Amino acid sequence: MGTTMKKRMTGLIAFGLIASTILAGCSSSKEGDTGTGTDGKKEEQITLSFETSLYAEAPHKKAIDSLISKYNEKNPNVKITVHGADYENFWDKLTTEVIAGTQGDIVQVYPENIATYNALVDGGAFLNLDTYLKGKELETKLVGQELSKVDDSYYAVSNYAWGTTGIFYRKSLFEKANIDPATVKTLDDFKAAAAKLGVDTNGDGKLDQYGFASVVGSHPFVASEWYRLIARPVSGGIYFPDGEAGPYTADRINVNSDANVWAAKWWQDFINDPKITPPGTRDKKVGREMFWNGQAAMNMDGPWFIGMTQERDQALMDDLGLLPQPAITYEGKEYKPNPHNNPSVAMISKKSKNADEAWKFLEWMTTPEAQQIIGGSGMIPSNKDYVATEEYKNNNPLAVQFFEFQENLYAPAVMDPPIPEQGTLSQIMVNTAQEMFIGKKDAKTSMDDAAGKMKDAIK
């Protein structure tokens, strides 16, 4: 772990976060007898805690509650409690818990988070899962499982769902503006459509509909929307070149490359167009609400947004369309989008007193029975066999389009670097994006500053 990262993690504790974040029942426990096993004997009550950032969102809460309820029917002696926070606050909270040793028995993260959080404790905070996965069927049948490694060992299982990003649009607003969605193929097409969609709908001289609900605020999406959509496809990597490949050394920091600086300037011009992006600071939640309310015609999101829209208002589903991320022309060459695959993966804490029971639950989540429940979250379930069924395809036509985009239109996905310092690098990028896209600071100056900070972080 880099010196900068250690200082940041220590600082979190010093700010008094521990008291507010320690989980109630954070490690598994046994609570006497309950239920009856197949042999007629009473079984010990086992409690497991499950920690996730997804639980704050209604469709995920519904899916996770249903999973736990179904599992408890089959295993009445196992009680699973859920703890979480919204995405923006979850990660600092988890940092404090891991350092204090109070994290949940099961912790759900993304592949790029595994190395960072495992390295917060000497010797690692989470269990090596090779005995459960290596050489077993699950190693190859789960989307994104290969991304869950640290030093060639598995520390998480990709047992929930995954997604990549596309551009959702309101069909009615496109039709009113006389825009054929099939013609929006390139970055220039996307910008032209977004500008055309920004209009004064009530004739009071003020814009009340905008083209694109971009994030311009404190949420990490202030950086990731920009680099997933534009920068990373043309530069090969925000943090390191060649698809965020190693060696992960200071001399290979790529953030201030010419392509990334060009992409930052393009995004500054794009979001500063009053027809495209509404003025003022806003986060992802506000942008989604603007889309649902018809105040924004487009929103960048993943398949989870399908479930969120359905939960918000079933009637909106008939007006929900999906575009792939656009192709980009830079210095005369066309680049395909390469949005990263975003599976939710689960780790087991070394502090867990019932790791085998935690694994049994995580393994059950990969079954068709559980994957069908997970499909209700709007995300694409991780089990490749289940998603390949005609039943799934027929019931989830919008989600299936994400498969088609990846197969026909997208370059191979580029993931964040799987290194312990990634949390620090990501925060530097978020801070830099805020400078450029909210503070309107010169892109080259900001990116050069970011490069220096990133080099210090990984020395």
Side-chain angles (χ1 to χ4, degrees), residues 95-336:
T95 296
T96 303
E97 290 165 355
V98 172
I99 293 173
T102 61
Q103 71 269 19
D105 294 285
I106 298 167
V107 180
Q108 190 179 61
V109 295
Y110 299 102
E112 61 264 32
N113 307 127
I114 297 171
T116 297
Y117 288 94
N118 191 51
L120 290 178
V121 176
D122 289 341
F126 296 93
L127 287 180
N128 182 313
L129 301 182
D130 284 350
T131 57
Y132 298 115
L133 289 164
K134 275 200 171 179
K136 309 292 177 62
E137 185 181 18
L138 290 182
E139 187 175 20
T140 57
K141 74 185 297 183
L142 301 176
V143 173
Q145 184 55 49
E146 71 281 2
L147 304 173
S148 299
K149 288 183 178 181
V150 176
D151 297 330
D152 202 41
S153 284
Y154 292 113
Y155 282 83
V157 58
S158 180
N159 65 338
Y160 187 70
W162 68 278
T164 185
T165 44
I167 308 295
F168 288 93
Y169 68 94
R170 294 290 296 265
K171 294 178 183 178
S172 59
L173 299 182
F174 266 57
E175 184 176 354
K176 189 174 181 180
N178 197 29
I179 298 172
D180 180 359
T183 65
V184 183
K185 297 180 179 180
T186 68
L187 194 61
D188 289 339
D189 296 336
F190 171 62
K191 184 176 182 178
K196 190 174 182 180
L197 287 159
V199 296
D200 171 13
T201 63
N202 56 20
D204 64 357
K206 297 179 181 179
L207 291 174
D208 53 358
Q209 177 185 301
Y210 303 89
F212 183 68
S214 60
V215 174
V216 184
S218 60
H219 196 287
F221 285 167
V222 72
S224 66
E225 280 192 340
W226 156 68
Y227 69 64
R228 292 183 194 181
L229 191 66
I230 306 169
R232 197 173 254 166
V234 298
S235 71
I238 287 294
Y239 307 103
F240 300 93
D242 308 316
E244 304 291 2
Y248 301 112
T249 54
D251 62 302
R252 299 191 75 248
I253 288 294
N254 197 51
V255 67
N256 60 337
S257 67
D258 290 344
N260 280 331
V261 172
W262 171 84
K265 290 178 178 178
W266 192 97
W267 193 246
Q268 284 177 320
D269 291 341
F270 179 78
I271 63 175
N272 287 330
D273 187 324
K275 290 186 177 181
I276 293 175
T277 301
T281 300
R282 69 208 151 275
D283 60 17
K284 195 62 181 174
K285 181 179 180 181
V286 173
R288 286 166 174 161
E289 288 289 340
M290 292 185 69
F291 179 87
W292 289 325
N293 293 334
Q295 295 171 281
M298 292 188 286
N299 175 54
M300 183 178 176
D301 237 312
W304 47 86
F305 189 65
I306 300 169
M308 295 172 77
T309 301
Q310 191 168 22
E311 190 75 20
R312 175 66 156 69
D313 184 353
Q314 178 66 41
L316 289 174
M317 294 300 293
D318 292 335
D319 200 33
L320 191 65
L322 180 64
L323 299 168
Q325 287 190 201
I328 304 157
T329 300
Y330 171 63
E331 293 189 339
K333 181 179 177 181
E334 184 173 280
Y335 295 83
K336 291 183 177 181

Side-chain angles (χ1 to χ4, degrees), residues 25-158:
C26 59
S27 60
S28 54
S29 60
K30 297 180 180 180
E31 301 176 351
D33 294 337
T34 185
T36 303
T38 54
D39 59 0
K41 297 181 179 179
K42 287 187 176 181
E43 298 178 324
E44 281 189 306
Q45 176 73 53
I46 295 170
T47 299
L48 298 170
S49 52
F50 179 27
E51 191 166 5
T52 173
S53 67
L54 298 179
Y55 202 63
E57 297 174 353
H60 289 297
K61 183 180 186 302
K62 183 177 180 180
I64 291 170
D65 285 345
S66 296
L67 283 171
I68 291 171
S69 177
K70 177 61 68 173
Y71 190 76
N72 191 241
E73 285 180 18
K74 297 174 173 293
N75 302 274
N77 65 310
V78 180
K79 178 182 178 182
I80 302 173
T81 60
V82 185
H83 305 272
D86 61 276
Y87 184 93
E88 189 170 356
N89 295 308
F90 179 80
W91 305 104
D92 280 348
K93 174 179 179 290
L94 179 59
T95 296
T96 303
E97 290 165 355
V98 172
I99 293 173
T102 61
Q103 71 269 19
D105 294 285
I106 298 167
V107 180
Q108 190 179 61
V109 295
Y110 299 102
E112 61 264 32
N113 307 127
I114 297 171
T116 297
Y117 288 94
N118 191 51
L120 290 178
V121 176
D122 289 341
F126 296 93
L127 287 180
N128 182 313
L129 301 182
D130 284 350
T131 57
Y132 298 115
L133 289 164
K134 275 200 171 179
K136 309 292 177 62
E137 185 181 18
L138 290 182
E139 187 175 20
T140 57
K141 74 185 297 183
L142 301 176
V143 173
Q145 184 55 49
E146 71 281 2
L147 304 173
S148 299
K149 288 183 178 181
V150 176
D151 297 330
D152 202 41
S153 284
Y154 292 113
Y155 282 83
V157 58
S158 180

Side-chain angles (χ1 to χ4, degrees), residues 379-398:
M379 289 181 71
I380 304 171
S382 293
N383 187 316
K384 298 175 186 177
D385 294 342
Y386 173 73
V387 174
T389 64
E390 290 303 315
E391 178 186 9
Y392 178 81
K393 292 178 180 178
N394 291 335
N395 291 335
N396 300 274
L398 266 180

